[in-house]
């Protein structure tokens, strides 16, 4: 079993009301040093073992088809134990 | 300005219906190798500069007070350019 971690973020330029709300709440709590906050998703999966290339190709498909919305979101992922390409 | 990245995950044992839904959707798309999926939050902030210790202490407070719910969530964070303690 391998751990796969997927990070999904809004593309640069896409409005992020949740991030804006967090920034404003932090300001009102006195954390004025926070200039920007943007919120993304973080997905941890346990995936059955395979070669690095197989697992990476399958995870890329999962991101493109289901996990991320490629119109407004970017993603990157890490496969535990894989040599970074 | 420093980039701070906060990762918030549900504690082990806390039910994650969103993760379960993702896992089931992946199965129905044919990705049967996914044994578990858990969803967390990923927050990127731009924070005004300070010493590593100051920034880390402030970010820890932000997590405890606002960003994470310590009853059901764990968090960790990375401060860009900080020596890991």
């Amino acid at each position: 079993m391998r751990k796969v971690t997927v990070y999904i973020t809004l593309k640069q330029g896409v409005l992020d009301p949740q991030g804006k709300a967090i920034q404003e709440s932090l300001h009102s709590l006195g954390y004025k040093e926070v200039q920007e906050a943007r919120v993304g998703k973080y997905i941890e999966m346990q995936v059955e073992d395979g070669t690095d290339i197989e697992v990476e190709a399958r995870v890329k498909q999962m991101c493109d088809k289901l996990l991320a919305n490629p119109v407004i979101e970017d993603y990157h992922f890490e496969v535990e134990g894989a040599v970074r390409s």
Side-chain angles (χ1 to χ4, degrees), chain A:
Chain A
M1 205 68 86
R2 295 219 208 184
K3 182 170 148 183
V4 175
T5 312
V6 181
Y7 305 89
I8 299 168
T9 50
L10 285 170
K11 280 185 200 281
Q12 211 65 33
V14 176
L15 282 181
D16 181 2
Q18 194 185 358
K20 191 79 190 152
I22 285 176
Q23 188 200 345
E24 287 171 6
S25 300
L26 287 171
H27 279 208
S28 71
L29 289 173
Y31 301 102
K32 307 270 188 204
E33 70 265 42
V34 178
Q35 293 300 303
E36 194 190 8
R38 289 180 76 79
V39 181
K41 266 178 291 183
Y42 171 81
I43 303 174
E44 280 181 355
M45 300 190 289
Q46 296 291 335
V47 178
E48 279 167 27
D49 223 345
T51 67
D52 289 1
I53 289 173
E54 278 167 8
V55 174
E56 286 176 357
R58 297 277 287 179
V59 172
K60 186 169 185 310
Q61 286 178 18
M62 293 178 209
C63 290
D64 288 329
K65 285 192 191 170
L66 181 80
L67 303 177
N69 174 347
V71 178
I72 55 167
E73 291 172 332
D74 286 323
Y75 65 83
H76 64 281
F77 59 84
E78 286 161 9
V79 177
E80 189 184 45
V83 180
R84 302 299 295 273
S85 53

